[in-house]
Amino acid sequence: MTDDTFLDHVAGRLATLPSVRAVALGGSRAQGTGTPDSDWDLAVYYRGAFDPAGLRALARALGWDGEVSGIGDWGGGVFNGGAWLTVDGRRVDVHYRDLDVVEHELAESRRGRFHWEPLMFHLAGIPSYLVVAELALNRVLRGSLPRPGYPEALREAAPRVWRGRAALTLQYAGAAYVPRGQVTEVAGAVATAALETAHAVLAARGEWVTNEKRLLERAGLRGVDAIVAGLRPDPGALARAVAEAERLFENAV
């Protein structure tokens, strides 16, 4: 199958699942930054109860190999599960999106409100407005979904929250890890604070974020690499590195 035929085929099949109201293409392929090796990220937007057993049965019937998670198996919250599949030799990620949750977070973002959630593989975790960013950036393949702009209230509120988290992350590192010469812990804290700061920078610009893969580049914070690379198990050196990171992050715009 060509890519277009493949995408239409998979979206059409996913749209037949009970309670699914829309299917959208996300990730790098939706944003035009993908490569021939990029995964295909698809989101199924459902209303009410969604039973992953239906997706599991569909995948089995069509010969789609892979793993289908239950609701909440990816940690719960806004990113509440999905599947990793191979379809026609292509890697396909399916994400579950509860429309009630998505619409709630859209309304919250317009009031400048959000919450933080942990998510596997994400050093800084994710904001609940990630699902709003997906609405803004994803390509709808079946059904219809809103296409929000970046709320002004969120531009004002989110940077303060993210910069506050970054400052506390470095403060804790300075008090708990630096005196003990703990390089790995300091490295992790600096990396986490860098990504938290990057979230702040992008939010202030009104630019959506859906993952951390290019977050530091977009925020102009790739210079943190040199700080992390120079870490060594000496409290004085680690204190200087944390101070350097603080300066870098404070000047990031």
Side-chain angles (χ1 to χ4, degrees), residues 12 52 90 114-115 167 171 178 204 211 228:
R90 298 168 170 90
F114 72 98
H115 63 271
Q171 181 180 322
V178 166
N211 60 56
V228 174

Side-chain angles (χ1 to χ4, degrees), residues 193-211:
L195 288 158
E196 291 166 337
T197 302
H199 271 292
V201 170
L202 272 293
R205 294 179 190 168
E207 296 182 19
W208 293 113
V209 174
T210 57
N211 60 56

Side-chain angles (χ1 to χ4, degrees), residues 19-110:
S19 73
V20 170
R21 299 291 180 266
V23 180
L25 174 68
S28 60
R29 289 189 180 273
Q31 298 174 39
T33 59
T35 69
D37 295 327
S38 295
D39 294 350
W40 296 81
D41 295 314
L42 294 167
V44 290
Y45 289 83
Y46 61 89
R47 179 79 68 186
F50 175 77
D51 188 353
L55 175 56
R56 200 171 290 117
L58 177 68
R60 190 163 49 244
L62 296 174
W64 297 355
D65 295 328
E67 178 183 341
V68 177
S69 85
I71 298 291
D73 283 359
W74 291 2
V78 298
F79 217 102
N80 67 340
W84 295 294
L85 303 170
T86 300
V87 181
D88 191 44
R90 298 168 170 90
R91 297 188 306 275
V92 177
D93 293 344
V94 180
H95 299 154
Y96 307 152
R97 292 290 179 266
D98 185 331
L99 278 167
D100 289 340
V101 172
V102 171
E103 290 167 358
H104 171 76
E105 295 305 336
L106 174 57
E108 287 288 277
S109 71
R110 287 170 172 166

